[in-house]
Amino acid sequence: MWLGPEEVLVANALWVTERANPFFVLQRRRGHGKGGGLTGLLVGTLDVVLDSSARVAPYRILHLTQDSQIYWTVACGSSRKEITKHWEWLENNLLQTLSIFDNEEDITTFVKGKIHGIIAEENKNLQPQGDEDPGKFKEAELKMRKQFGMPEGEKLVNYYSCSYWKGRVPRQGWLYLTVNHLCFYSFLLGKEVSLVVQWVDVTRLEKNATLLFPESIRVDTRDQELFFSMFLNIGETFKLMEQLANLAMRQLLDNEGFLEDKALPRPIRPHRNISALKRDLDARAKNECYRATFRLPRDERLDGHTGCTLWTPFNKLHIPGQMFISNNYICFASKEEDACHLIIPLREVTIVEKADSSSVLPSPLSISTKSKMTFLFANLKDRDFLVQRISDFLQKTPSKQQGSSSGEGKASIVDVAPKSPSATQEVLEQPASPSSTLGGCQSFCIQDVPTASQGLLKLFHRNSSTEVLGAKGAKEKMKEESWNIHFFEYGRGMCMYRTARTRELVLKGIPESLRGELWLLFSGAWNEMVTHPGYYAELVEKSTGKYTLATEEIERDLHRSMPEHPAFQNELGIAALRRVLTAYAFRNPTIGYCQAMNIVTSVLLLYGSEEEAFWLLVALCERMLPDYYNTRVVGALVDQGIFEELTRDFLPQLSEKMQELGVISSISLSWFLTLFLSVMPFESAVVIVDCFFYEGIKVVLQVALAILDANMEQLLDCSDEGEAMTVLGRYLDNVVNKQSISPIPHLHALLTSGDEPPTEVDIFELLKVSYEKFRSLRANDIEQMRFKQRLKVIQSLEDTAKRSVVRAIPGDIGFSIEELEDLYMVFKAKHLASQYWGGSRTAAVRKDPSLPYLEQYRIDASQFQELFASLTPWTCGSHTPVLAGRMFRLLDENKDLLINFKEFVTGMSGMYHGDLTEKLKVLYKLHLPPALSPEEAESALEAACYFTEDSCSEASPLASDLDLFLPWEVQDALPQEEQEGAGNEDAREKRGEEKGTSPQDYRHYLRMWAKEKEVQKETIKDLPKMNQEQFIELCKTLYNMFSEDPMEQDLYHAIATVASLLLRIGEVGKKFSVHVGKKTKDSACGGDYNGAAVQEESPVPEPHRDPAQERRPPAAGDPQAKAGGDTQVGKLPPESQVVGEGGSGEGQGSPSQLLSDDETKDDMSMSSYSVVSTGSLPCEDLMDDTVLVGGDVSSQTAAARCEGTVDADWCISFEQILASILTESVLVNFFEKRVDIGLKIKDQKKMERQFSTSSDHEQSGVSG
């Protein structure tokens, strides 16, 4: 590549001059190429340690002038070919011009100008990349691609100098972190270390410090442990590795591949050595942390943050902290965790004002809201810029009218919006009294759909408060009063100051009249509800009457949701629950419906209207309990892992016992999934839900630890899991809430034994203990632990999926369990590669976790072709991709252009296992439709007697549509299906159903499974007969298959003999078949193939019977049979290919242009060489071999080519082919020899990356 000229003071240090002229020098890096010696080792080591660009570009061209000692680099190259091209350009275009100049300075100026011009021209033609990666970084990316064979699509995120510990020896080198891989390269004194690990294979990633590995990062995969140390900034490196591993896990979980965030603000000038991707990932991490801290919607993006102080009127203090600004919110978090949190939605802001600075209050900014609250920030560093940003966001906020700015200190004044939905929202958000809680918001959808417009508790317990007016009623009144005082001091609604005092009140229990309102505020559900008016009503309308698997499960669970509560003993409550769950399943089909959602939702409905319950459910499933309710409850398993880890840390004695009994996994899932609602009396569990909405998952973990701690002694005495479960179950049954004003009978799940009844435990006491003993738990630590556990959980789920898929493969498939597992890993890697780099491919069908394990990873034709080429025992040189395409079409029974692992293994097994008959059967099927595409078989129209319905429309060999062979398939496909494919009608039906709105129920899957289990033996009599074109294709495949075999010559002779015999058999068979005397013109053929020997038996007029007789193969007893037999078929494939490639051959005329005897004689006299040389054989050596053999086929092929008609009567059966091949022992041995697929899998794993990453040029070569 051309380089912007830079000075080089010492030109010959570590470089060797290879060419020179008066103005330029071409140099090679010392040690590069052959014979590097000790110098080469030292130079190579230096290049790696110092990250020299010479490692990637070991050639360079320098410009020099005679009297000057300064050299200028003008070009560099990674190969001799590249640098020679630049050298020749300079010699041809500049040397003559430069010799005219007198002044050396002018020469240098001219050269520099010329080179800059070339670079500018090259850059002009390049597509703008959209990123602003600095030059140094691009150079590093180039090194990474060259070193590890990565494609353009693989983006480097960052690279670090570090040491990799190989045994006890540190190897200094460079660690490259790309979006999908971790790569390391080191070269020290001839010892090279090159590592590539896919992020999806990482099972453990942690930062640790031991005596052996000081301050190191440990990366584990299933089969190796890697340690890296000596980082300049280990914290930054580890954080980035965590993010990338997390993205990979997310991809395995729900296929969210990495997409660069185009909406992030771009810096004015690129940061030195920081890639656009690195900046993008940092911004993502900040966004996630910001949204989690303030419980904001998922599309909220942080714009920036700055240090400041906030005036808090309740304690008359300026609290230091950070102000965060995003597109719709201004938030504040104090430095002390509990001092103060504040969220101001921009939709509530009326005035943003810059007040006058003073020594007491430097750079103040006041923000007023519709609820008449004013917030005073001070000590802002860049106040003017900040106000401008807020002003910009305010202008974009919907339903606002921008007022005029007035007054010197005012940046922007936004008038209170006129009467509009937002005004209503403001009234709703600030209820005048607790009784007017948020119920009015139901007005969005009440006209359209009959919904429960307030909490069901209010509807079903109207008189309870008057009946139970004793101590409990008084306590409830006191709680309400405390909250009213709090609202007065700290504000009410979204803009409330959230402090340690707020937490205290939540811990004492939220009064029932305020529970719905406060849950909405603390969870952030309120924000989404007011910004999406009418959304829920719309969803209810769309989902009503729709039938899916989720709706069936919902119906089944409706009456199991809190059956003890009167609200769910009648249709009003049940209908409300049905609508909310169905609407959510419709909103988020990835989750759909999961057991436990019904219990949580029924509780949400007790305290809020349907719409509020819906948005609370959204907040729970999508933000507060991430991945909890997906098909594999990954989130709950992750938190279960955290719980086990915390038990080890806080209760080490108990931890061992619990592991031994295996209790934690049994108990914790129901605790976490239902937030204790299914295991505790309702009125007690709801207090935990109060705290959960305020504090998040931390509370649930604390309470779980407190429960184990309280039962430690009894649990240590337990002898088995059942006993431990009984202890915990009885304890939880007796956790009571003595303050509850609406107790609901708890269904005791456990039998009481004859012992004395257990003591009651007050829920508020339990919460207090949990906060006292386990207060050290921090939200940030939990997030860190979640990452670590997520790696474990997802990888163990992947292992489970692998085992399940392998178990689903029928036992007669022939591969061992280990081989199947290895094949599965190779297959999965190929699927994932399409997601990394194959954006436009069909296969990038996203993995759908809701599908059965077998269907989750599927590959398309081009990926199958790559796998086939590296794994098949039948290598056919350049013909391999064609064979792969046919195999793919044969396996793709449902015509969705994708195959799953079972189909893939079936294809592989057909080639590797079974006897000669089975292998030949597979090969035979590969040359019949649907495997043989219409392009490959010219006679789709002509072979009317056998395949009357075949379509001969043009279609690419790798993209046959569903309807391409449909009519044929209906009539003939069933007999020739693979054994395991008996249920393909059902599979097609299933695929069709999945695309529609109402997929089949589970009974359908059971029926399908039962059908798959029925083994239907296919006999060789079921296989349809083969016509001429198809037979020629089969011969061509066999020739290509033998071309790389050690017994090549013997195999050619054998197949030639067999083919001549089969041609005669077909000819004899034709006499007994019904003679169709129809002559078809060339023009009607339309296909690319004007088959050569195919034409030989076509019906011709009487005078020309002689040539036809001459073209017939010699009789068995003919002395020439043995000599000529080899050529017989030797020429067939080339000839058919000649015409295939040349379109219409020489004799493209109609049957009237037939050969005369003279012409035939001329053809007879042609040497076999001249005939073969006109063809293009797939293998050059095959051509040479064929030339050596004389024969009488040249006339047949030439005449047939000229004749251009197709014999529709000629056919051959599988039994005939099999019987003929059995006569040749060399062929029998070839098909019966065992090939070890294990070695091929190992090779495939080694070259997996390079294969997927070969350049476009190479790929096109492979695909032919």
Side-chain angles (χ1 to χ4, degrees):
M1 58 188 283
W2 297 105
L3 299 173
E6 284 182 20
E7 279 188 27
V8 177
L9 294 174
V10 186
N12 294 318
L14 309 180
W15 292 85
V16 181
T17 300
E18 293 207 331
R19 291 192 191 183
N21 62 40
F23 303 106
F24 297 102
V25 176
L26 189 155
Q27 295 186 327
R28 172 177 55 81
R29 187 71 166 173
R30 202 176 287 275
H32 179 76
K34 291 178 183 173
L38 183 62
T39 323
L41 293 182
L42 288 168
V43 173
T45 304
L46 270 174
D47 285 346
V48 169
V49 174
L50 302 174
D51 194 30
S52 159
S53 57
R55 187 152 61 87
V56 178
Y59 296 95
R60 68 179 184 183
I61 296 174
L62 303 178
H63 163 64
L64 77 161
T65 49
Q66 285 171 348
D67 299 337
S68 171
Q69 293 302 307
I70 297 173
Y71 292 74
W72 299 83
T73 55
V74 292
C76 70
S78 56
S79 64
R80 191 179 293 275
K81 185 180 173 187
E82 183 187 355
I83 206 73
T84 308
K85 187 179 162 190
H86 290 332
W87 178 261
E88 285 170 356
W89 188 91
L90 291 170
E91 282 191 328
N92 296 336
N93 294 283
L94 288 191
L95 278 189
Q96 277 187 323
T97 315
L98 295 178
S99 57
I100 299 166
F101 286 92
D102 298 329
N103 188 337
E104 290 195 350
E105 277 184 23
D106 291 347
I107 292 175
T108 303
T109 309
F110 178 79
V111 168
K112 283 159 77 174
K114 196 73 179 167
I115 300 297
H116 281 303
I118 294 170
I119 293 169
E121 191 61 33
E122 280 180 356
N123 291 343
K124 190 174 75 177
N125 297 333
L126 287 176
Q127 288 293 317
Q129 292 297 311
D131 58 10
E132 327 74 4
D133 290 339
K136 179 81 176 153
F137 190 85
K138 283 182 177 164
E139 192 180 296
E141 191 165 48
L142 193 70
K143 282 179 202 167
M144 178 273 296
R145 293 219 178 103
K146 183 174 187 294
Q147 193 64 58
F148 303 104
M150 297 284 177
E152 286 289 322
E154 185 67 346
K155 299 283 187 190
L156 180 65
V157 181
N158 215 348
Y159 62 106
Y160 302 93
S161 169
C162 70
S163 288
Y164 160 63
W165 291 80
K166 193 164 186 184
R168 299 195 171 196
V169 183
R171 298 291 177 87
Q172 185 64 29
W174 290 87
L175 181 73
Y176 297 91
L177 304 181
T178 74
V179 173
N180 301 302
H181 297 86
L182 171 155
C183 309
F184 176 82
Y185 182 76
S186 164
F187 179 87
L188 289 178
L189 301 177
K191 298 279 186 188
E192 188 179 59
V193 177
S194 183
L195 288 174
V196 178
V197 175
Q198 286 190 342
W199 289 117
V200 286
D201 292 336
V202 173
T203 56
R204 183 175 177 183
L205 181 63
E206 59 188 25
K207 188 167 59 171
N208 51 19
T210 60
L211 287 172
L212 187 61
F213 302 120
E215 187 86 299
S216 65
I217 291 174
R218 174 179 177 170
V219 182
D220 287 8
T221 63
R222 285 178 179 81
D223 39 36
Q224 57 183 341
E225 292 177 8
L226 311 171
F227 289 89
F228 300 96
S229 65
M230 295 175 162
F231 288 95
L232 198 61
N233 185 345
I234 194 166
E236 181 201 314
T237 312
F238 183 69
K239 196 175 167 189
L240 181 57
M241 288 166 92
E242 260 190 346
Q243 274 184 290
L244 292 167
N246 225 337
L247 280 168
M249 292 308 107
R250 177 60 51 198
Q251 188 183 34
L252 284 178
L253 185 59
D254 56 14
N255 255 331
E256 280 186 14
F258 176 77
L259 293 169
E260 197 171 343
D261 198 338
K262 303 296 179 199
L264 292 171
R266 298 296 186 203
I268 297 150
R269 64 175 64 86
H271 304 289
R272 191 174 61 83
N273 289 357
I274 293 187
S275 69
L277 273 180
K278 170 78 169 71
R279 199 185 63 248
D280 188 37
L281 282 166
D282 289 346
R284 275 180 186 225
K286 283 183 182 173
N287 276 330
E288 280 165 20
C289 182
Y290 168 64
R291 288 194 293 262
T293 308
F294 299 105
R295 307 270 165 81
L296 298 174
R298 287 192 301 177
D299 55 354
E300 200 58 29
R301 282 196 175 82
L302 179 64
D303 189 64
H305 57 95
T306 179
C308 67
T309 57
L310 171 66
W311 169 253
T312 48
F314 48 87
N315 58 4
K316 311 286 189 289
L317 287 174
H318 290 283
I319 296 180
Q322 289 271 330
M323 177 198 269
F324 300 86
I325 294 175
S326 59
N327 19 354
N328 297 297
Y329 298 87
I330 297 169
C331 301
F332 175 85
S334 57
K335 280 186 180 169
E336 284 178 54
E337 195 182 354
D338 285 344
C340 182
H341 264 220
L342 179 66
I343 301 167
I344 310 169
L346 290 181
R347 62 176 183 272
E348 293 296 317
V349 173
T350 53
I351 299 172
V352 178
E353 186 178 8
K354 288 191 285 189
D356 294 331
S357 291
S358 67
S359 54
V360 185
L361 210 61
S363 307
L365 179 71
S366 94
I367 297 174
S368 303
T369 65
K370 295 178 190 173
S371 51
K372 309 293 183 284
M373 289 178 79
T374 301
F375 304 96
L376 188 62
F377 297 92
N379 292 290
L380 290 156
K381 285 176 189 162
D382 196 349
R383 185 175 62 164
D384 292 344
F385 176 73
L386 195 72
V387 169
Q388 186 55 51
R389 291 303 292 156
I390 295 172
S391 177
D392 292 346
F393 285 131
L394 278 169
Q395 285 170 349
K396 292 174 192 167
T397 306
S399 65
K400 285 275 181 287
Q401 287 183 341
Q402 202 66 26
S404 56
S405 300
S406 60
E408 292 168 24
K410 296 193 179 179
S412 68
I413 301 173
V414 184
D415 295 335
V416 180
K419 293 294 174 189
S420 69
S422 59
T424 325
Q425 291 157 17
E426 190 259 10
V427 173
L428 295 171
E429 192 177 345
Q430 309 297 334
S433 68
S435 59
S436 63
T437 346
L438 306 171
C441 62
Q442 201 55 38
S443 61
F444 291 138
C445 59
I446 199 160
Q447 298 100 6
D448 306 317
V449 185
T451 55
S453 57
Q454 54 181 316
L456 294 173
L457 206 59
K458 289 183 184 172
L459 299 174
F460 288 93
H461 282 284
R462 284 209 176 140
N463 306 319
S464 61
S465 53
T466 52
E467 288 166 12
V468 192
L469 273 177
K472 287 185 179 177
K475 185 80 177 167
E476 188 77 1
K477 283 278 176 214
M478 281 171 62
K479 281 188 195 172
E480 285 179 9
E481 202 47 49
S482 303
W483 275 98
N484 284 331
I485 293 166
H486 184 270
F487 291 148
F488 180 75
E489 288 184 17
Y490 295 83
R492 188 169 188 174
M494 211 65 218
C495 303
M496 176 202 302
Y497 292 99
R498 298 159 197 226
T499 64
R501 172 75 184 137
T502 318
R503 179 194 280 149
E504 280 170 34
L505 284 178
V506 171
L507 278 171
K508 286 178 184 170
I510 297 175
E512 293 198 340
S513 57
L514 293 172
R515 193 162 264 145
E517 174 188 355
L518 292 172
W519 283 2
L520 280 164
L521 295 178
F522 295 150
S523 66
W526 175 249
N527 285 322
E528 290 191 279
M529 193 167 101
V530 294
T531 50
H532 295 85
Y535 175 78
Y536 172 68
E538 204 178 298
L539 269 185
V540 170
E541 205 176 322
K542 279 183 188 169
S543 60
T544 306
K546 295 285 194 303
Y547 176 84
T548 62
L549 208 54
T551 56
E552 186 177 334
E553 287 173 5
I554 289 167
E555 285 302 322
R556 208 169 47 236
D557 285 352
L558 282 177
H559 294 277
R560 301 178 196 170
S561 314
M562 293 190 70
E564 68 274 24
H565 199 288
F568 298 99
Q569 289 164 3
N570 67 72
E571 193 46 41
L572 177 66
I574 295 290
L577 183 59
R578 179 187 292 117
R579 281 192 294 271
V580 174
L581 289 172
T582 309
Y584 186 74
F586 205 78
R587 165 191 164 87
N588 189 345
T590 358
I591 289 178
Y593 170 77
C594 168
Q595 280 189 332
M597 281 169 76
N598 58 324
I599 296 169
V600 175
T601 310
S602 54
V603 174
L604 300 177
L605 276 166
L606 290 176
Y607 295 102
S609 70
E610 271 185 47
E611 185 170 21
E612 291 160 8
F614 171 78
W615 286 111
L616 280 166
L617 186 63
V618 169
L620 267 177
C621 297
E622 294 172 17
R623 291 202 312 276
M624 300 189 74
L625 296 175
D627 304 321
Y628 257 60
Y629 299 107
N630 60 23
T631 43
R632 296 187 276 178
V633 294
V634 171
L637 291 171
V638 166
D639 285 350
Q640 179 179 289
I642 292 175
F643 181 45
E644 288 183 31
E645 203 175 321
L646 292 172
T647 311
R648 276 197 298 277
D649 295 347
F650 288 106
L651 310 167
Q653 278 177 294
L654 189 58
S655 172
E656 283 178 38
K657 182 73 177 177
M658 298 295 271
Q659 287 294 328
E660 188 187 312
L661 298 175
V663 175
I664 288 190
S665 53
S666 311
I667 55 170
S668 49
L669 263 188
S670 59
W671 293 5
F672 294 142
L673 278 169
T674 64
L675 304 172
F676 291 100
L677 287 162
S678 63
V679 293
M680 253 186 213
F682 165 73
E683 60 272 14
S684 307
V686 87
V687 177
I688 296 176
V689 179
D690 290 343
C691 300
F692 167 75
F693 276 124
Y694 188 75
E695 295 255 53
I697 194 65
K698 167 185 151 175
V699 178
V700 179
L701 290 165
Q702 283 178 182
V703 171
L705 287 167
I707 292 168
L708 290 189
D709 187 45
N711 291 280
M712 190 184 294
E713 287 179 20
Q714 286 171 281
L715 288 169
L716 286 171
D717 294 338
C718 289
S719 56
D720 60 25
E721 184 186 1
E723 199 179 334
M725 298 282 282
T726 309
V727 168
L728 290 168
R730 292 183 69 188
Y731 176 85
L732 288 165
D733 274 347
N734 288 280
V735 176
V736 296
N737 178 359
K738 292 172 183 171
Q739 300 174 13
S740 173
I741 58 166
S742 54
I744 296 158
H746 178 54
L747 298 178
H748 289 266
L750 296 156
L751 298 168
T752 50
S753 57
D755 307 338
E756 29 178 285
T759 50
E760 289 187 335
V761 183
D762 186 55
I763 181 64
F764 295 104
E765 194 56 38
L766 180 63
L767 275 169
K768 188 179 165 192
V769 169
S770 78
Y771 269 87
E772 284 170 358
K773 287 197 173 179
F774 310 108
R775 66 166 66 237
S776 58
L777 268 184
R778 290 278 172 278
N780 290 347
D781 299 339
I782 291 171
E783 276 310 309
Q784 190 65 39
M785 291 161 90
R786 268 182 169 167
F787 162 72
K788 190 170 151 191
Q789 292 298 331
R790 195 177 290 123
L791 279 180
K792 274 189 200 168
V793 168
I794 292 178
Q795 294 294 12
S796 73
L797 285 171
E798 286 295 306
D799 290 342
T800 308
K802 176 171 75 179
R803 285 192 295 273
S804 302
V805 169
V806 167
R807 273 201 304 271
I809 304 300
D812 60 353
I813 211 80
F815 291 115
S816 68
I817 296 290
E818 291 73 29
E819 285 172 340
L820 283 171
E821 288 187 347
D822 285 347
L823 277 170
Y824 178 79
M825 294 312 285
V826 167
F827 185 85
K828 175 179 156 186
K830 188 58 71 180
H831 168 94
L832 290 171
S834 75
Q835 314 232 317
Y836 299 160
W837 307 311
S840 59
R841 295 175 125 163
T842 0
V845 254
R846 292 278 180 209
K847 171 189 161 195
D848 180 356
S850 62
L851 287 174
Y853 285 133
L854 197 59
E855 293 288 329
Q856 286 182 10
Y857 295 116
R858 292 178 293 171
I859 58 173
D860 68 4
S862 56
Q863 293 167 306
F864 176 78
Q865 196 181 98
E866 290 163 11
L867 279 181
F868 183 89
S870 54
L871 296 177
T872 180
W874 298 342
T875 44
C876 302
S878 61
H879 192 62
T880 306
V882 178
L883 203 61
R886 289 178 194 163
M887 178 66 89
F888 183 84
R889 287 191 290 278
L890 184 67
L891 298 175
D892 181 23
E893 291 179 349
N894 53 9
K895 303 289 179 288
D896 64 351
L897 303 183
L898 294 167
I899 59 167
N900 64 25
F901 181 66
K902 184 177 173 184
E903 292 163 336
F904 170 71
V905 170
T906 306
M908 286 290 129
S909 175
M911 295 184 288
Y912 275 95
H913 301 293
D915 55 12
L916 170 76
T917 311
E918 290 302 314
K919 288 179 181 173
L920 281 178
K921 201 191 287 181
V922 173
L923 199 57
Y924 185 80
K925 286 181 189 175
L926 290 177
H927 296 83
L928 295 172
L932 198 73
S933 75
E935 267 192 348
E936 293 172 319
E938 180 200 50
S939 66
L941 277 178
E942 287 79 29
C945 17
Y946 303 106
F947 304 104
T948 46
E949 299 286 338
D950 269 8
S951 156
C952 88
S953 60
E954 293 293 327
S956 89
L958 297 182
S960 67
D961 294 339
L962 176 61
D963 23 346
L964 203 58
F965 286 104
L966 196 55
W968 175 85
E969 185 185 44
V970 172
Q971 292 179 27
D972 294 305
L974 282 172
Q976 61 158 335
E977 280 177 351
E978 298 288 19
Q979 291 172 17
E980 46 81 35
N984 89 323
E985 289 295 330
D986 284 335
R988 194 173 307 115
E989 186 186 343
K990 172 188 145 196
R991 200 64 50 80
E993 283 297 331
E994 278 173 2
K995 287 172 186 164
T997 50
S998 318
Q1000 294 283 356
D1001 63 2
Y1002 63 94
R1003 285 167 301 206
H1004 166 78
Y1005 293 103
L1006 285 172
R1007 280 197 301 273
M1008 202 175 80
W1009 179 71
K1011 271 198 175 184
E1012 274 188 0
K1013 288 286 174 195
E1014 292 172 18
V1015 179
Q1016 293 189 355
K1017 262 294 185 199
E1018 178 188 57
T1019 67
I1020 55 177
K1021 291 191 188 307
D1022 295 332
L1023 294 166
K1025 292 188 175 183
M1026 185 177 265
N1027 69 15
Q1028 274 186 345
E1029 253 80 13
Q1030 293 157 356
F1031 179 68
I1032 299 289
E1033 286 297 326
L1034 176 62
C1035 292
K1036 189 199 295 187
T1037 300
L1038 287 166
Y1039 262 82
N1040 283 291
M1041 201 184 287
F1042 302 151
S1043 65
E1044 293 168 26
D1045 196 273
M1047 303 284 290
E1048 192 177 354
Q1049 284 298 318
D1050 295 343
L1051 285 165
Y1052 284 155
H1053 279 281
I1055 196 61
T1057 308
V1058 167
S1060 0
L1061 178 61
L1062 287 167
L1063 285 165
R1064 287 200 298 279
I1065 291 171
E1067 192 63 19
V1068 171
K1070 189 179 72 169
K1071 291 179 180 176
F1072 296 101
S1073 66
V1074 181
H1075 182 63
V1076 183
K1078 202 171 186 180
K1079 294 191 278 286
T1080 314
K1081 292 190 179 182
D1082 262 354
S1083 53
C1085 287
D1088 287 345
Y1089 274 75
N1090 273 342
V1094 179
Q1095 335 296 2
E1096 63 183 354
E1097 287 84 25
S1098 53
V1100 285
E1102 206 52 31
H1104 304 287
R1105 275 297 173 197
D1106 279 346
Q1109 293 296 333
E1110 284 172 5
R1111 285 197 307 275
R1112 196 165 294 159
D1118 193 311
Q1120 287 189 356
K1122 291 227 173 348
D1126 186 38
T1127 324
Q1128 175 75 27
V1129 183
K1131 304 304 177 295
L1132 300 185
E1135 276 306 307
S1136 58
Q1137 194 164 342
V1138 174
V1139 193
E1141 286 168 6
S1144 39
E1146 315 152 36
Q1148 178 67 354
S1150 64
S1152 59
Q1153 296 173 307
L1154 289 166
L1155 296 172
S1156 67
D1157 287 327
D1158 296 339
E1159 285 172 310
T1160 310
K1161 281 173 193 160
D1162 287 343
D1163 281 334
M1164 284 294 287
S1165 63
M1166 282 170 69
S1167 72
S1168 62
Y1169 179 78
S1170 63
V1171 176
V1172 176
S1173 62
T1174 57
S1176 56
L1177 272 167
C1179 311
E1180 287 175 26
D1181 42 348
L1182 169 58
M1183 190 188 288
D1184 297 340
D1185 292 333
T1186 317
V1187 169
L1188 302 173
V1189 189
D1192 58 351
V1193 178
S1194 45
S1195 61
Q1196 302 170 13
T1197 48
R1201 250 170 64 230
C1202 295
E1203 193 165 344
T1205 59
V1206 171
D1207 188 342
D1209 296 334
W1210 191 97
C1211 69
I1212 200 92
S1213 70
F1214 177 71
E1215 294 102 311
Q1216 290 165 331
I1217 291 178
L1218 177 62
S1220 305
I1221 283 179
L1222 285 170
T1223 61
E1224 294 289 338
S1225 60
V1226 66
L1227 289 175
V1228 175
N1229 295 340
F1230 176 84
F1231 282 106
E1232 288 196 335
K1233 73 178 173 203
R1234 306 279 300 170
V1235 182
D1236 182 11
I1237 197 171
L1239 297 171
K1240 286 188 175 281
I1241 292 173
K1242 272 181 194 164
D1243 292 344
Q1244 161 65 14
K1245 281 181 176 173
K1246 277 180 199 165
M1247 51 91 74
E1248 207 160 67
R1249 197 175 65 265
Q1250 285 79 0
F1251 193 85
S1252 326
T1253 59
S1254 53
S1255 67
D1256 294 340
H1257 174 70
E1258 290 164 338
Q1259 284 285 21
S1260 61
V1262 173
S1263 57

